[in-house]
Amino acid sequence: QVKKQCDQKLLIRMKTKCVPCSLNLDTPCPAGYTKITNGTGTPDCRYYLEIKTHTLSFPGCRHRCVKEFEQPECCQGHWGPDCMGE
């Protein structure tokens, strides 16, 4: 039995929206993603508040999230939707 399908594992990374650090403790990752930061997250962003004619910028926090994704792929020497070949 020759292996025809060699799926590739992909890691998709994303960051949540930047919010005040004090409000970021309970920020969830999107469905299917796993949170890889703890507590208030990473303080590496700025969020903006609009007050009448001014926009104020404040340091904020966000969480990093990852999702493992298997991309179907044929092994070398095989092709097509059913990975036929050779």
Side-chain angles (χ1 to χ4, degrees):
Q1 179 72 19
V2 177
K3 195 170 179 217
K4 299 176 184 175
Q5 188 126 359
C6 297
D7 293 350
Q8 293 290 326
K9 274 198 166 119
L10 299 177
L11 212 55
I12 303 168
R13 301 170 194 275
M14 59 89 56
K15 292 178 180 171
T16 58
K17 204 173 87 167
C18 191
V19 295
C21 294
S22 58
L23 301 178
N24 202 37
L25 270 168
D26 300 325
T27 301
C29 287
Y33 283 82
T34 305
K35 195 186 285 188
I36 57 169
T37 41
N38 298 319
T40 56
T42 313
D44 66 347
C45 60
R46 297 190 77 78
Y47 66 96
Y48 301 92
L49 280 182
E50 283 184 36
I51 299 170
K52 293 186 181 163
T53 56
H54 298 307
T55 300
L56 303 178
S57 165
F58 298 97
C61 290
R62 56 190 173 177
H63 283 292
R64 290 204 299 270
C65 310
V66 293
K67 178 183 190 178
E68 206 172 75
F69 177 74
E70 279 214 349
Q71 184 169 329
E73 215 164 275
C74 297
C75 297
Q76 200 170 353
H78 295 82
W79 59 86
D82 302 322
C83 294
M84 301 310 282
E86 300 197 319

